[in-house]
Amino acid sequence: MSETSRPSGRRADELRPMALQRGFTRHAEGSVLISMGDTRVLCTASVENRVPGFLRGKGEGWVTAEYGMLPRSTHSRMGREAAQGKQGGRTLEIQRLIGRALRACVDRGALGERTITLDCDVLQADGGTRCAAITGAYVALVDAVRTLQKRGDLSRDPVHGAVAAVSVGLVGSTPVLDLDYAEDSGCDTDMNVVMNDGGGLIEIQGTAEGHAFRRSELDAMLNLAESGISQLLAAQRAALEG
Amino acid sequence: MSETSRPSGRRADELRPMALQRGFTRHAEGSVLISMGDTRVLCTASVENRVPGFLRGKGEGWVTAEYGMLPRSTHSRMGREAAQGKQGGRTLEIQRLIGRALRACVDRGALGERTITLDCDVLQADGGTRCAAITGAYVALVDAVRTLQKRGDLSRDPVHGAVAAVSVGLVGSTPVLDLDYAEDSGCDTDMNVVMNDGGGLIEIQGTAEGHAFRRSELDAMLNLAESGISQLLAAQRAALEG
Amino acid sequence: MSETSRPSGRRADELRPMALQRGFTRHAEGSVLISMGDTRVLCTASVENRVPGFLRGKGEGWVTAEYGMLPRSTHSRMGREAAQGKQGGRTLEIQRLIGRALRACVDRGALGERTITLDCDVLQADGGTRCAAITGAYVALVDAVRTLQKRGDLSRDPVHGAVAAVSVGLVGSTPVLDLDYAEDSGCDTDMNVVMNDGGGLIEIQGTAEGHAFRRSELDAMLNLAESGISQLLAAQRAALEG
Amino acid sequence: MSETSRPSGRRADELRPMALQRGFTRHAEGSVLISMGDTRVLCTASVENRVPGFLRGKGEGWVTAEYGMLPRSTHSRMGREAAQGKQGGRTLEIQRLIGRALRACVDRGALGERTITLDCDVLQADGGTRCAAITGAYVALVDAVRTLQKRGDLSRDPVHGAVAAVSVGLVGSTPVLDLDYAEDSGCDTDMNVVMNDGGGLIEIQGTAEGHAFRRSELDAMLNLAESGISQLLAAQRAALEG
Amino acid sequence: MSETSRPSGRRADELRPMALQRGFTRHAEGSVLISMGDTRVLCTASVENRVPGFLRGKGEGWVTAEYGMLPRSTHSRMGREAAQGKQGGRTLEIQRLIGRALRACVDRGALGERTITLDCDVLQADGGTRCAAITGAYVALVDAVRTLQKRGDLSRDPVHGAVAAVSVGLVGSTPVLDLDYAEDSGCDTDMNVVMNDGGGLIEIQGTAEGHAFRRSELDAMLNLAESGISQLLAAQRAALEG
Amino acid sequence: MSETSRPSGRRADELRPMALQRGFTRHAEGSVLISMGDTRVLCTASVENRVPGFLRGKGEGWVTAEYGMLPRSTHSRMGREAAQGKQGGRTLEIQRLIGRALRACVDRGALGERTITLDCDVLQADGGTRCAAITGAYVALVDAVRTLQKRGDLSRDPVHGAVAAVSVGLVGSTPVLDLDYAEDSGCDTDMNVVMNDGGGLIEIQGTAEGHAFRRSELDAMLNLAESGISQLLAAQRAALEG
């Protein structure tokens, strides 16, 4: 695949235009609208002064996530999970991933007996929503922690480092970065990579949708992911300094 | 209550600043973000070429609505209905109201065997979400119908007239228009009024939360509602001409 | 429509024959079978010495309602909600209305930390079940409070005044009182009105099913409702003195 | 136990006063209120011109039952199954029993592709509700079949014989007939017996709640049951001739 | 029916080959695989140091059971109840029966405030699974109690006597013992009998699937059940001594 | 970590003892009990002559999986998902993984309009259940396909190649193969790897539970996984030839 053959005209190693809009809504302690191309996810961080039962009395906090798609965030309308009476397997899988990813940068002892819930609601979907959710939720989390710090509720910063996530994939045998929906639905391998700002891997999930992939292809995809994530981490830093 | 005593400083007969942003998201046939002060509701209209079982084969279409609040659209985080496994009574009541209100301006024979679903999702809540949803969903509905017309799918316009809605209430004994959350949670009577552009009443729902209300108070509230709704109808027209 | 053109032969301002049978079942603190023509609703009031979580420790009581229809209370058999695994939107809407209406005549501080649950189960339906439920539940509520008073459990009467409800509607352009099923399913506007014995409005819910209604039509309907409710309040008084 | 030692003063072999009120409600093809002492169950039979999927196209009908208790049919209020979102194990067990019992007297080929649903709703409970439901549902079933016959819908009578049910038990070591709630909650063995009018056993379900029971005790209980059921069958015949 | 006419070639009074394998899995306090011919049920007994709410603080324990079938334990695959979101009526009925049967041989005071849960999971079904579950669960229960005794947690043995269960039936008019699936699905009467080692009846549940059965047929079936259960009780004793 | 420091005494690159028992139950077209040390999973493959709605009429088959754990397969008893009314997120995630893994070696056109459901039920858990499920389900799948071939239902073999899975992880900084529960609950990184017999990667899912992992650590883990999976593939071949 030549570099210009992506449906979007992007180079294989090029992220979509990305924006992080802090303070998108008023009530949440952190509220960030992340746009990755046409994918737009509203990430809010809500602080509550209680923890789940298994943590009660241990002096530790909890960070968890919930994920949802508005019914018409997608090309054709999906059923509303609240009306169907349950969250589907994909939703549960994604929100478990987001929660794990964010907990990887939180010192739960420093958080104290509080829960921070990261609600990631997809307003518009064009591929890569779970990765966008992680990248945006990190910024919302930091904003929520800053709110707690301003209130004088924390003695030390519970957030260490940063996390961001991006998808990579094989289209045919070409590794590409940050797949949009058109690429995602036709690719051979789809991989989501979560990393921290120390260059460490937090989570990798790669699935061969067409032919199985080779170790060398895995390496090429991970190289792309590292490069993309370092740009996303820089964008997070810029947004948080803004 | 003097005119300046509302928490927001508004006059008793003054609407909140209002905006209708068409095309807020890309995939839906109609997509409108309505803002009434700090209340923001995303209204999408989705067209599907099928009807519920009770209408099959009758040559008529259907218009229905679903309503939801993002968990942190509110001051403190609410549980996500999808995670709780069911929609609450308030949600069901509101979406039934929205559906009835919009069906009041649709000729279902002219729509043909199609369903238009109006998804009204509250991004940020500050009172009056169900009325904002109706007012915004009308614009999304018109946009969806125009999309069908552009495709040549309709022989005549199924939308006749317009509908809009506003809340009114009694704060103490003073009638006020378009209550925000601070007023809504403390008022004595809360009423939602849906009207069409012919000055007809589509729906009224009034509840005494404190003392019972008098016929004269009802009249005063309805006068305010008529005045507010005529401004909302004008704003809809302006947005649709934009 | 001339006065004799109603399917039942009633005048436009004429209630159906009405009966209130107290003590219909034995176990409940209050148990009333209300008949409005062929509509028959069993209303029981159950007292429990606990309150919902949000009221615990506040020294206040709670009044709430649940509504159900026996599967064959209607012309054709409806699915049993217990078997379907959830209460429908109409059921939830009605039981919320009944609860609000009854709370409007209760001093919850005087009730103390008790819950009174009003179960309104429709044995036979012929229109107007929600209004019949409110009118009957009031009598069951008073009986339950009298039971508590006989036990010496209350220092003062928590019930102030009385509430009753009736439906009104427009058949064509004629306002009529207390619609039965034949009228209800064909009318242009359907309105439920709840009032107290001081002539105050507790709740009005009016819906245009056909053409939108005018303020003058609303006034005519409310006049009918006032007249009907005063008869229902008298019937409640008579039953409670019996 | 002497014969007069039952809480109710009944002899060990004495049924409670029993009544069968046909036509209790209007809409159902059969509607019977059965009273066994203070136990009152409303049994309706509803005819629908369809059968479950596993019978479609086989030319056979189906008879099934649903059972419910009104929340305050009992001494203390029970949760409403519709609100809890599912039917409990006891409910499912009872309605499966009622359905089996009634199918035992129906020629499903003669019924044709129709379903008769027997809804048995307990208005007031004082022990023995499942047996009362079977005995009452038989009468409702016959009424429904007669309705079909009057319409000319059946070429031959699908009901052969009759079924009725009664509870028997051991209080201490004394066998007693037709236990009321006071006896039922304290007895050592509780048995429900369904028989037909040919003296055949349709179903027996006996449970040792205290000490295990002997074959001789089983025989004594079955003798009582036979005697009680023959009285119930006579009452059914009398009611159906009335 | 001659003695050799059973599909399996067994005599009318012959049990299937039976085996009890203790310690089938490692984690449970008691774990028994029971085989009755091709029917194989894994019965585990789990001890927890808590009791249901209605027993809290009363110094008594609880014994309860849950029953499940693996989706392909049967001839054709059944839906998985966990995926369907509820346990069916048959499942609930069976697990209530197992729980009652096992509680009949337990002194709950001697157990102390503990719950023993008997999970009976059918790995392979060929008729008689509920009876096999009871017979196997008894052995698992004894093993769990022995585990508690070895830990020194019990001052006296809470298990008194033994319980076992078998099915009997009428094939045509011939009484047969321990029906397999081929017989069960075609028999006229199906009866499950639970007895203790003192010869007492704990539970009998007999259903006429074809013609009603006579008292003499009931007696013949109970004679077969007594004989079969005494063999099962002997097998339990042998297994527990092994 | 020296090679002997694993709790089990295994070398870092040593699989647990492994066994594949075909024909473990009778009814399923394929039925395999896989043991990986103390982890035992019953994998059945069921063939049905229908496909999900989205494939109807396309001439293609479907392969899907369901996963469950018996309540006492684990150290302490877990709630039964059927009783809780839903499958948890972990269950859904695992069964989606198993389904994807097995579909990777199936030519769905060659399968024709059939569904093969792989039920993977954990009888005993000691870590690595999802990987064992995949490895065992492959053998069950092949047995089911052979059953279809014997019946003459397939014109060509729909299974191409083989798939197997193993877990690897970092304990401290030492990569280890095939973690048991003791290792799994304390490790820093946990990774599940699915590969085919051509050396291609089907799926990798790696999660940092403690510190983030490096590319070099990922490589070391993947090397271990390749070595383990090649042994598992050999064991599958041996079992299928047996």
Side-chain angles (χ1 to χ4, degrees), chain C residues 24-29 38 40 46 66 71-75 77 80 82-83 85 87 117 119 121 123-125, chain D residues 24-29 38 40 44 46 66 71-75 77 80 82-83 85 87 117 119 121 124-125:
Chain C
F24 185 72
T25 55
R26 301 173 53 108
H27 301 310
E29 284 77 16
D38 276 343
R40 282 153 64 188
S46 296
E66 290 189 4
R72 196 56 194 281
S73 58
T74 44
H75 282 79
R77 189 178 182 274
R80 185 179 290 265
Q87 295 178 297
T117 302
D119 285 291
D121 285 277
L123 303 189
Q124 189 170 275
Chain D
F24 185 72
T25 55
R26 299 174 56 108
H27 301 310
E29 284 76 15
D38 276 343
R40 282 152 65 186
T44 59
S46 296
E66 289 189 5
R72 196 54 194 282
S73 59
T74 44
H75 282 79
R77 188 177 183 275
R80 185 180 290 265
Q87 296 178 295
T117 302
D119 285 291
D121 285 277
Q124 189 169 277

Side-chain angles (χ1 to χ4, degrees), chain D residues 22-103:
Chain D
R22 290 164 67 202
F24 185 72
T25 55
R26 299 174 56 108
H27 301 310
E29 284 76 15
S31 174
V32 172
L33 181 73
I34 181 167
S35 306
M36 294 290 296
D38 276 343
T39 288
R40 282 152 65 186
V41 185
L42 174 53
C43 308
T44 59
S46 296
V47 180
E48 290 167 301
N49 288 322
R50 53 191 172 80
V51 289
F54 66 92
L55 285 178
R56 222 159 280 157
K58 300 197 175 164
E60 280 179 49
W62 187 239
V63 173
T64 188
E66 289 189 5
Y67 172 92
M69 300 185 84
L70 294 196
R72 196 54 194 282
S73 59
T74 44
H75 282 79
S76 56
R77 188 177 183 275
M78 307 186 320
R80 185 180 290 265
E81 289 186 325
Q84 293 166 335
K86 65 173 177 178
Q87 296 178 295
R90 178 185 171 275
T91 294
L92 293 171
E93 193 171 319
I94 291 175
Q95 68 192 18
R96 284 159 54 92
L97 168 65
I98 301 171
R100 283 196 306 271
L102 274 295
R103 282 193 294 278

